[in-house]
Structure formats: structure tokens, C-alpha cells
Amino acid sequence: MYSYAKRMKVVKLYIQHEFIPSAVMHELGYPKNRHTLYAWYKEY
């Protein structure tokens, strides 16, 4: 389970990388799949 702060870090990086999930996952090493990232973005 990831903290709220870590999830929001991922979301902000996702926006910064122009909505390219693979760039975020490669840079941070998490989340392990795109569906998780999309869910976190939706929460944001």
C-alpha cells in the first residue's frame, strides 16, 4: 500500500510527463501497472 503523498507524487509526475504512464513507472519503479496509475489519477 502506498501513502497518499506517494500516490500524488506519481500523479503529478504523470501530468508532467504529458500523461505517459510508462515514463512514470520507469522513473519511479511504481506503480506496477497502468490501471493503478489511472485510478490514482482519477482520485486526484
Side-chain angles (χ1 to χ4, degrees), residues 2-33:
Y2 296 100
S3 69
Y4 181 78
K6 282 191 174 190
R7 293 191 313 253
M8 290 305 104
K9 180 179 179 179
V10 168
V11 169
K12 290 177 183 178
L13 197 58
Y14 178 57
I15 294 167
Q16 182 181 356
H17 283 293
E18 300 178 358
F19 304 97
I20 301 172
S22 59
V24 175
M25 293 185 294
H26 182 265
E27 185 170 330
L28 296 177
Y30 67 92
K32 294 297 181 189
N33 64 55

Side-chain angles (χ1 to χ4, degrees), residues 28-40:
L28 296 177
Y30 67 92
K32 294 297 181 189
N33 64 55
R34 295 167 192 223
H35 299 290
T36 302
L37 191 142
Y38 297 150
W40 292 352

